[in-house]
Amino acid sequence: MRQGNNLGGLLARQRMDAGWSQEELADRSGVSVRTVRNIETGAVQSPRNSSLSLVVAAFQEAGLFEAEYVLRDFTDRNGTERSAALSGRPAGVSTSNGVRPGDGHDWLVGRKNDISRTCDSLHRGRWTTLVGPGGVGKTKLAFAVADRVRSQFAGGVSIVRLGETSEDHDETAIRHAVCAALPAEESRGEGSAAMRRLVVIDNIEHLQTPAVRACQRLLAEFPDLWILITSRHAVAAAGVKTVEVRPLSAVDAEQLFLYRAQAACSDLDLTGRGSAVTEICRKLDGMPFALEVAALRLRSLSIDTLLEAPVRQIVTQPSVAGLPHQRTLVESVTWSYGMLGEEERRLLHWLSASLEAFTIKDLLGRPDREAVADDVPHLVDIISDLVDRSMLQVGRGSEYRYSMLGHIREVIGMLQ
Ligand SMILES: Nc1ncnc2c1ncn2[C@@H]1O[C@H](COP(=O)(O)OP(=O)(O)OP(=O)(O)O)[C@@H](O)[C@H]1O
Ligand SMILES: [Mg+2]
């Protein structure tokens, strides 16, 4: 069985990632080495609540946020008895349904620069937003950053997931959701400078306006609060620092693809198939979600079949789990598309059928563009909006160059 699919495997992976021996974990947590060993080997599949709490606390105390989160989340999803015992900790992480298995149950590929840019941004200001298209890895990155900076936030790190929150949530409801995740003294406004606290708010795009207002209010109310947001939409508010999350580099994309392929099918041998792997990763623009879906397909399709398969065949394949809008790439793009206005949609359809990479000059030079928008300033506004909503990528040379990720183009074509 793939390590990590059960509590024992999960614990062993997190312990080894932390660089701890079984003895060290026992020492740090106060449970016996025998208990650690029994959990990891599966000899004990339902350990006592108190033992599990101690083990999770050891990761928490060491500032290993991702490990703590993974273990909490696993227990939350695999038994209410254990969950009840673990969820009462004061600096706990709010978990919710719809966590993709990849969210924290294994390592992060690449992203070194993105992690340091985000950490740097958190040093320089109290509000940072990770922005990028659906499935690019914003949540994954946010967790890794939270893990990295945890020791600098003595008041702790909390996660608030808004992905499943309905669009009619207003500013007050969002503020309440965030306050509920903060420790009691902080939500009463009594935090001290020594108790800096970070809250990661995941997925605000569908609640952008009320969520931004709620964050502004929270930052004004709690001087010791830092906010890290993930959103597919750029946040236009004073003082917000934006870190753009782009697809993975070619090397990292290949590593993720191979890792996921191996996890999906442990006896798969891709030796000598380096160029096919490179080509698939290029075809999928290095998009982690797309790479994961494609890698899963290797269980049933050969790499050559996959290479020849149209992107359309990949975008309709289900991922392992996730929120409803994260089940397939079609659902992911459709969710973003659903938040666009009529004119933006019309331009997107036209672009997907008419232009590959383009500059504003290219666009204005097209005689047929009048069919989508004849007023030039307005057309430029719509392009700008599509960039802000991560539906177009932008290359910022002396002249900006716009393009659409292949899977977005494919899905937009299907929505016509
Ligand atoms: N650098 C990475 N290393 C390993 N796995 C990754 C990496 N980036 C993303 N993934 C995996 O790819 C999938 C999509 O990532 P993630 O959920 O973070 O995307 P997202 O940008 O938050 O999407 P959404 O806008 O739908 O919330 C997840 O299963 C995640 O674990
Ligand atoms: Mg996300």
Side-chain angles (χ1 to χ4, degrees):
M1 185 186 293
R2 183 187 151 196
Q3 198 179 45
N5 283 346
N6 52 39
L7 180 62
L10 214 55
L11 178 60
R13 155 137 286 153
Q14 299 306 329
R15 178 180 59 71
M16 287 189 272
D17 282 355
W20 298 344
S21 61
Q22 290 180 331
E23 287 73 18
E24 184 168 1
L25 174 58
D27 223 32
R28 285 172 175 268
S29 62
V31 304
S32 69
V33 183
R34 204 172 59 163
T35 302
V36 173
R37 197 171 300 134
N38 284 344
I39 297 175
E40 290 193 359
T41 57
V44 170
Q45 297 199 348
S46 297
R48 283 206 309 264
N49 294 337
S50 52
S51 305
L52 265 181
S53 295
L54 289 168
V55 166
V56 172
F59 287 103
Q60 185 193 25
E61 272 150 30
L64 296 169
F65 170 76
E66 188 161 333
E68 176 203 347
Y69 175 79
V70 166
L71 292 166
R72 273 183 204 289
D73 181 53
F74 181 90
T75 50
D76 277 358
R77 288 185 289 123
N78 291 277
T80 47
E81 204 198 346
R82 273 176 281 157
S83 156
L86 292 170
S87 59
R89 299 188 62 84
V93 173
S94 70
T95 59
S96 70
N97 296 326
V99 178
R100 289 176 182 175
D103 266 0
H105 295 218
D106 48 17
W107 66 81
L108 178 90
V109 174
R111 297 292 189 208
K112 281 205 169 65
N113 282 342
D114 296 307
I115 292 179
S116 60
R117 278 193 302 142
T118 313
C119 291
D120 187 49
S121 174
L122 286 169
H123 280 132
R124 288 186 292 114
R126 291 168 59 212
W127 183 349
T128 297
T129 308
L130 301 180
V131 180
V136 77
K138 302 179 292 296
T139 300
K140 187 88 182 169
L141 177 63
F143 279 24
V145 168
D147 212 351
R148 178 71 63 91
V149 299
R150 188 176 177 89
S151 61
Q152 295 155 34
F153 290 89
V157 178
S158 315
I159 290 186
V160 180
R161 290 180 166 255
L162 297 179
E164 276 188 307
T165 308
S166 77
E167 285 171 28
D168 52 19
H169 262 57
D170 61 10
E171 180 187 332
T172 311
I174 294 168
R175 188 184 167 282
H176 279 153
V178 176
C179 283
L182 300 176
E185 68 275 21
E186 187 73 44
S187 53
R188 289 199 303 270
E190 293 164 12
S192 69
M195 292 295 282
R196 286 196 337 165
R197 183 153 181 77
L198 174 68
V199 62
V200 179
I201 309 179
D202 196 26
N203 279 118
I204 66 154
E205 50 278 294
H206 55 309
L207 303 160
Q208 194 92 344
T209 306
V212 168
R213 287 209 196 104
C215 289
Q216 285 169 325
R217 233 177 97 192
L218 285 160
L219 287 172
E221 270 174 77
F222 304 128
D224 309 314
L225 182 67
W226 266 246
I227 294 179
L228 177 62
I229 277 180
T230 77
S231 179
R232 295 182 184 186
H233 299 180
V235 171
V240 182
K241 302 194 184 321
T242 302
V243 175
E244 258 178 8
V245 187
R246 296 202 174 237
L248 294 173
S249 68
V251 171
D252 292 339
E254 286 171 29
Q255 197 187 338
L256 177 59
F257 181 79
L258 287 171
Y259 167 57
R260 293 282 190 255
Q262 204 62 47
C265 192
S266 59
D267 56 358
L268 188 69
D269 185 4
L270 291 174
T271 315
R273 304 312 315 272
S275 53
V277 170
T278 305
E279 187 50 25
I280 287 180
C281 294
R282 196 200 51 74
K283 181 163 133 182
L284 298 175
D285 297 311
M287 275 295 291
F289 186 15
L291 295 169
E292 287 188 340
V293 172
L296 272 180
R297 292 270 88 191
L298 284 178
R299 282 169 56 81
S300 48
L301 301 176
S302 74
I303 188 137
D304 292 316
T305 309
L306 202 60
L307 196 53
E308 278 158 30
V311 174
R312 176 167 296 221
Q313 210 164 319
I314 289 162
V315 294
T316 51
Q317 293 304 320
S319 156
V320 195
L323 299 172
H325 66 267
Q326 294 168 332
R327 270 195 295 253
T328 63
L329 282 159
V330 172
E331 281 161 298
S332 173
V333 175
T334 306
W335 199 59
S336 290
Y337 179 86
M339 290 179 236
L340 299 177
E342 251 325 296
E343 287 181 310
E344 292 159 315
R345 289 183 190 182
R346 204 169 341 124
L347 184 60
L348 210 53
H349 283 294
W350 183 77
L351 288 173
S352 77
S354 315
L355 284 175
E356 291 281 336
F358 63 95
T359 62
I360 293 286
K361 218 190 275 169
D362 294 335
L363 186 62
L364 298 184
R366 291 281 300 227
D368 53 341
R369 57 110 179 135
E370 286 178 13
V372 274
D374 52 3
D375 173 318
V376 170
H378 190 46
L379 182 63
V380 170
D381 278 349
I382 305 177
I383 292 289
S384 166
D385 201 41
L386 289 173
V387 171
D388 282 346
R389 289 165 180 270
S390 307
M391 296 305 272
L392 290 179
Q393 300 275 292
V394 58
R396 299 191 182 91
S398 58
E399 201 169 7
Y400 282 19
R401 206 164 177 74
Y402 305 90
S403 59
M404 205 181 292
L405 291 167
H407 76 280
I408 296 187
R409 181 183 298 276
E410 195 65 41
V411 175
I412 297 298
M414 290 164 76
L415 292 173
Q416 251 161 352

